[in-house]
């Protein structure tokens, strides 16, 4: 993999200087720019490619979370902040890691190594995990600080659980911070179908349909009224 282009966005000069120093100590990382606010960062992102974004959260005018939501094409992101209560919101935005200030160089390296793994997966598949490649038979899922490779054939159904989704597979259940909507868009439509606001199922694992209940493997799943017609048309 070529050099990883990094962008630092933080309204504190000392924080930007520290990150610049840390980035300079790691072979393979290249600092594209450091910005004091998200508006400066927008200009940088329009002009040159950025692979890894170190982003503060609490900034005047526009927070890091708000800024991230405005981006259509997101780099891999590591939050850097003094406020621990933003961690869950960050992960729901598909942030790779969360550095709580003040952080050590060792902790910085852990986050960078995790980010590089995600960047490699993104380069290989064209999407960030959870992500799929149209010519492969698996999905990449981030869970437990790992990237799991789940074969389509092993997935029975996917259950939405607020901020999490649960992949029910042949070997057990894997919890990941993700949304059913993003998975519905990413998974191959000829193999998976949404049957309920809380469920996506593998079409080849469907056994029978009884009223508004679908038998998938050994489980009985509800069929939502707004999804029933499409399910009957496509599967039955």
């Amino acid at each position: 993999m070529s050099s990883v282009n990094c962008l630092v966005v933080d309204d504190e000069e000392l924080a930007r200087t520290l990150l610049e120093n840390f980035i300079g100590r790691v072979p393979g990382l290249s600092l594209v720019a450091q910005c004091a606010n998200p508006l400066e960062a927008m200009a940088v992102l329009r002009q040159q490619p950025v692979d890894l974004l170190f982003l503060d959260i609490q900034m005047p005018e526009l927070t890091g979370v708000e800024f991230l939501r405005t981006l259509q094409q997101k780099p891999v992101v590591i939050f850097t902040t003094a406020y621990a209560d933003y961690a869950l919101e960050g992960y729901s935005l598909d942030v790779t890691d969360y550095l709580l200030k003040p952080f050590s160089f060792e902790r910085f390296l852990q986050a960078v190594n995790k980010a590089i793994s995600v960047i490699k997966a993104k380069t290989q598949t064209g999407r960030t995990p959870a992500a799929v490649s149209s010519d492969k038979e698996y999905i990449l899922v981030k869970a437990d600080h790992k990237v799991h490779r789940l074969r389509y054939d092993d997935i029975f159904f996917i259950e939405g659980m607020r901020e999490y989704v649960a992949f029910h597979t042949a070997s057990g259940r894997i919890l990941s911070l993700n949304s059913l909507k993003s998975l519905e868009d990413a998974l191959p439509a000829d193999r998976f179908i949404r049957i309920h606001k809380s469920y996506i199922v593998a079409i080849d694992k469907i056994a029978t349909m009884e009223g508004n209940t679908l038998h998938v493997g050994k489980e009985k799943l509800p069929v939502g009224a707004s999804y029933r017609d499409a399910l009957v048309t496509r599967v039955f």
Side-chain angles (χ1 to χ4, degrees), residues 37-182:
N37 59 69
L39 296 180
E40 292 180 10
M42 285 181 182
V44 173
L45 288 169
R46 283 195 294 264
Q47 294 170 1
Q48 51 193 309
V50 171
D51 303 305
L52 178 55
L53 175 62
F54 293 92
L55 181 63
D56 187 24
I57 294 180
Q58 287 293 85
M59 291 181 285
E61 296 185 6
L62 195 68
T63 70
V65 171
E66 291 168 342
F67 170 58
L68 197 54
R69 286 177 176 149
T70 69
L71 299 180
Q72 291 185 333
Q73 299 294 327
K74 296 180 178 65
V76 173
V77 178
I78 295 174
F79 270 156
T80 60
T81 181
Y83 299 90
D85 53 350
Y86 284 99
L88 184 57
E89 185 170 13
Y91 282 123
S92 70
L93 290 167
D94 201 26
V95 171
T96 297
D97 208 343
Y98 184 98
L99 293 176
L100 187 62
K101 299 176 182 176
F103 49 85
S104 65
F105 182 62
E106 179 185 1
R107 180 66 184 88
F108 170 83
L109 276 180
Q110 290 177 356
V112 166
N113 287 333
K114 189 188 303 184
I116 289 174
S117 296
V118 175
I119 291 169
K120 286 181 178 178
K122 181 178 178 181
T123 301
Q124 292 168 0
T125 66
R127 306 183 189 196
T128 52
V132 299
S133 176
S134 58
D135 60 349
K136 291 189 172 66
E137 292 295 308
Y138 59 84
I139 181 172
L140 300 176
V141 177
K142 289 195 303 184
D144 304 321
H145 305 292
K146 303 174 185 176
V147 179
H148 298 260
R149 176 171 159 166
L150 298 184
R151 287 176 48 82
Y152 295 153
D153 287 344
D154 291 336
I155 300 172
F156 282 83
F157 63 94
I158 306 166
E159 180 182 6
M161 304 171 66
R162 294 191 177 181
E163 295 91 354
Y164 293 84
V165 296
F167 291 83
H168 294 260
T169 73
S171 57
R173 190 178 75 161
I174 295 177
L175 284 177
S176 174
L177 278 161
N178 212 310
S179 72
L180 283 185
K181 174 58 180 170
S182 64

